[in-house]
Structure formats: C-alpha cells, structure tokens
Amino acid sequence: MRVLKITAMAALLVLAASVAFAGPTYDRVMSTKVIKAGLSNQGIPFGFINDKNEWVGFDVDMATEIAKRLGCKLEKVVVNNNTRISFVQTNPPKVDMVLSNMTHKRVRDEKIDFSITYFFDGQKFLARKGAVKDVKDLANMKIGSMQGTTSIVNAKAYLQELGNPNPQVTGYDGEVAMFEALNSGRVQAISTDSTLLLGYAAKVPGKYELVGDFISDEPYGIGLPQDDSAWRDAINFTLQDIWKDGTYKKIYDKWFGPNSDYPFPLTSKIEMWP
C-alpha cells in the first residue's frame, strides 16, 4: 500500500512538472482551437466599429490572419487602455493576445510578454488647421491625451522641453473622448500615436492637421501572457510568415496605403529570423 502511495505521488509530481513547462496558453489554444484576442473598438484605424456596425481595423485583420494560420477560431474581446494589460495577467488570462496599438515598453514588459514589433509609429500632435504657427505655440496650449498611456507622459515631457514647466495636459478615457475634447474646443490640440490621430482627423476631412515632428518612437507589440515561450514563439513565427509571403503588405496597404483613408508610409521592417 505504501509503495502504491509513493508511486502515485511520484506520478503526480511528474505530471505537475510537465504541466509547469508545457506552456499553458499554447496548449490550451491548440486544444480548444479558439484564440481570444483583446482588441480596441475605438482605435481608428486599428480596431473600431464602422458605419455598417462591423468591427474592423488593421489589428482586427492581423488577429484574424494569425488565428487562421494557427487553425483557430478568433474570439474578439474589447479592451481599452486600462484593461489591455490586466486581461493578459489574469489566471487564466481573459485574452490570449492583445493587439491594441500598444507600444512595447520595458515597464510593460515587466508585467506581460510581447511579440516582435509588428507595427511602427510615432507620437505627434493634432490641431485645427492653422492654429499652430510654430511648434513652440503648443507649450502654452491646453492639450488632451489619453489616460493610462505613454502618450500623456511623452506629451508633458515635450511641452516642458518647449519651455512650459507646468503644461496643461488632460488625460481622457479613450480616443473618442480625447477627440471630442478637441472638436468641442475644450483643448486646443491632442497628442498620441500619429496613425490614431490620422484616423480621427479623417472623420472631418480638412479640419485638422498633424503638427511638428515625431516626439517619440512607438513600436507596437502583441501583448502575451508572461513566461509562455511556446505561445510567444508561435505568434512570432506566424508574424514573420505573414510578412514573408506578402500578406502583411496587403493588410497594411488596405489601411495605410497611399489610396487608403489613412495614408501612412511604412517606416521599417518586421524582424526576420533565419
């Protein structure tokens, strides 16, 4: 009897060890054939609801392509700036990956893992046409940005560099609220990633313009559960395959090509491994 107990305990220990090193997200996804992707529904043109009430965008198309190549069904989950990291941190995670125009920063990498960079952007300011004659004008303007993002931190630092020790920067809960603050005149300019600014400016053609040069580099990564290298490798290899066979360029041109509603030249290449 004692021998049976020891044998059973040993078997349990072996099983526990194998589970610990198996890569829980990868194994679960491959078992269920469902990928839960955290996506914005307000981040034009990455993830948003269009006039036909369809959930569309660059990130939506990329998530769909990743799921297809891994032989899985895509389940879309709404995330915002305050939930896109926490949804990956829960145990089990509420989402298996997050594509939500999220800049890969060291401080975020301490909490979750990231894929290789899959999109390259930079931060700018958006103001009414003609309102900013010189970028130094921004220093004493009321500026809007977004809560829980690096954008608001970057904007404050940049305005301080322009000479205002106490700049007026208000954080809003999401892109819609931020743009509405500009549209209503509560702020004179807004600042975040330039492609998001282009997306909202396109809603009222000719009214707004991007101001100045990029004030930061914003490399986007796919947010992933911490310490699951099998899942991270699967995502990275899939991204590289999407780039290699030309599918990435087709998706990119659909949303950011010269004939799109949000033209934005591709500034770099995805990291490719032999």
Side-chain angles (χ1 to χ4, degrees):
M1 188 71 173
R2 182 179 175 81
V3 173
L4 286 174
K5 286 183 178 179
I6 293 174
T7 302
M9 186 175 292
L12 286 171
L13 289 172
V14 170
L15 178 62
S18 65
V19 169
F21 291 101
T25 307
Y26 179 83
D27 287 348
R28 175 171 43 76
V29 169
M30 291 299 104
S31 174
T32 62
K33 294 298 181 182
V34 174
I35 298 178
K36 294 181 179 180
L39 298 157
S40 172
N41 64 358
Q42 295 186 3
I44 303 172
F46 290 92
F48 64 102
I49 308 300
N50 66 12
D51 294 337
K52 299 177 182 178
N53 203 35
E54 299 166 327
W55 197 351
V56 298
F58 176 82
D59 279 343
V60 176
D61 284 355
M62 286 295 293
T64 301
E65 186 66 23
I66 290 170
K68 183 181 78 173
R69 294 191 181 221
L70 291 175
C72 297
K73 175 186 175 183
L74 181 68
E75 184 177 318
K76 297 190 283 288
V77 179
V78 177
V79 296
N80 57 38
N81 295 328
N82 296 317
T83 62
R84 60 188 179 181
I85 289 179
S86 63
F87 275 26
V88 183
Q89 289 178 303
T90 58
N91 188 19
K94 293 182 179 179
V95 295
D96 305 308
M97 62 180 185
V98 170
L99 292 86
S100 183
N101 47 279
M102 182 161 57
T103 304
H104 186 178
K105 299 282 188 181
R106 281 192 179 187
V107 67
R108 289 174 176 161
D109 210 317
E110 294 171 358
K111 302 173 182 177
I112 62 175
D113 274 343
F114 281 86
S115 71
I116 56 175
T117 301
Y118 75 101
F119 191 87
F120 309 87
D121 202 354
Q123 184 173 342
K124 281 195 174 188
F125 288 82
L126 184 76
R128 288 182 184 271
K129 271 197 170 180
V132 179
K133 306 299 183 184
D134 187 289
V135 290
K136 292 180 181 179
D137 296 341
L138 291 168
N140 297 307
M141 288 183 169
K142 293 181 179 180
I143 306 295
S145 192
M146 290 191 292
Q147 299 171 0
T149 68
T150 55
S151 296
I152 192 169
V153 177
N154 295 339
K156 287 179 180 178
Y158 182 72
L159 296 175
Q160 288 171 342
E161 288 177 11
L162 292 180
N164 187 342
N166 296 297
Q168 297 184 62
V169 182
T170 302
Y172 292 93
D173 185 17
E175 295 87 347
V176 172
M178 177 184 66
F179 186 70
E180 178 54 34
L182 176 64
N183 223 14
S184 64
R186 283 177 284 143
V187 296
Q188 296 160 287
I190 56 177
S191 184
T192 188
D193 300 352
S194 64
T195 46
L196 290 173
L197 296 176
L198 285 172
Y200 276 88
K203 294 170 71 72
V204 281
K207 188 174 182 178
Y208 298 102
E209 63 183 351
L210 291 176
V211 178
D213 297 324
F214 290 113
I215 67 171
S216 70
D217 292 323
E218 305 296 331
Y220 293 175
I222 297 176
L224 303 167
Q226 191 81 293
D227 300 328
D228 192 338
S229 62
W231 181 233
R232 187 172 65 249
D233 283 348
I235 297 300
N236 283 337
F237 296 163
T238 304
L239 283 173
Q240 291 174 335
D241 291 343
I242 291 171
W243 177 277
K244 187 176 181 179
D245 68 15
T247 304
Y248 181 94
K249 186 67 163 54
K250 291 178 182 177
I251 296 174
Y252 190 92
D253 284 347
K254 173 183 174 182
W255 294 103
F256 302 105
N259 297 319
S260 71
D261 292 333
Y262 321 101
F264 184 75
L266 186 60
T267 57
S268 192
K269 298 179 179 179
I270 281 180
E271 179 184 356
M272 297 295 288
W273 306 331

